[in-house]
Amino acid sequence: PLVESGGGLVQTGESLTLSCKASGFKVENYAVAWFRQAPGKEREAVLCIRGDDGRTYYRNDNSDIKGRFTISSNNAANIVYLKMDGLTIDDTAVYRCAADRSFSACTGWQLRDYWGPGTQVTVSS
């Protein structure tokens, strides 16, 4: 399974780092991605990282997070991080991580093997 942590209430312009802790499998053998879902909106992909070579992927239609969000992994700790800078009110959402044993899931954005329950991020003005 996957468990997210690190969410909370922050003000605009501040930063947060979310953690996605894996157990029962090694993130270095999986593609792991972050998704988010804001109230009343569809779930959207944020970032993905391949466990084999560390390549990271943004969704093409998610240009508003480029330069602000970064994904990384600590294979020894079996954790994938999402660092978020310059947070805006529009970043308010439940953030979930997901994993798939196929590394190509980072380009297809179809991660099926594991999903975490999510962590709430709320940005206030």
Side-chain angles (χ1 to χ4, degrees), residues 77-117:
N78 221 24
I79 297 175
V80 173
Y81 300 99
L82 180 66
K83 186 176 187 300
M84 306 182 293
D85 297 319
L87 286 163
T88 72
I89 291 176
D90 290 340
D91 295 318
T92 294
V94 175
Y95 285 72
R96 299 178 69 188
C97 58
D100 196 287
R101 67 193 68 192
S102 172
F103 296 124
S104 64
C106 272
T107 50
W109 297 99
Q110 295 293 325
L111 290 91
R112 297 185 174 94
D113 292 321
Y114 300 99
W115 280 86

Side-chain angles (χ1 to χ4, degrees), residues 34-36 44-47 57-59 62 65 69 82:
W34 284 94
F35 293 79
R36 66 183 182 182
E44 64 174 348
V46 178
L47 277 164
Y57 299 81
Y58 294 88
R59 276 289 293 263
N62 228 340
I65 67 169
F69 288 16
L82 180 66

Side-chain angles (χ1 to χ4, degrees), residues 54-73:
R55 277 187 287 174
T56 61
Y57 299 81
Y58 294 88
R59 276 289 293 263
N60 289 334
D61 54 357
N62 228 340
S63 59
D64 66 317
I65 67 169
K66 285 187 177 181
R68 297 194 300 122
F69 288 16
T70 305
I71 190 171
S72 63
S73 66

Side-chain angles (χ1 to χ4, degrees), residues 5-47:
S5 62
L9 174 63
V10 297
Q11 294 187 325
T12 55
E14 293 185 339
S15 299
L16 270 179
T17 297
L18 306 182
S19 298
C20 172
K21 171 68 174 174
S23 58
F25 67 97
K26 295 183 177 181
V27 295
E28 62 191 45
N29 296 327
Y30 281 70
V32 179
W34 284 94
F35 293 79
R36 66 183 182 182
Q37 188 165 17
K41 295 186 178 180
E42 292 187 355
R43 185 176 65 205
E44 64 174 348
V46 178
L47 277 164

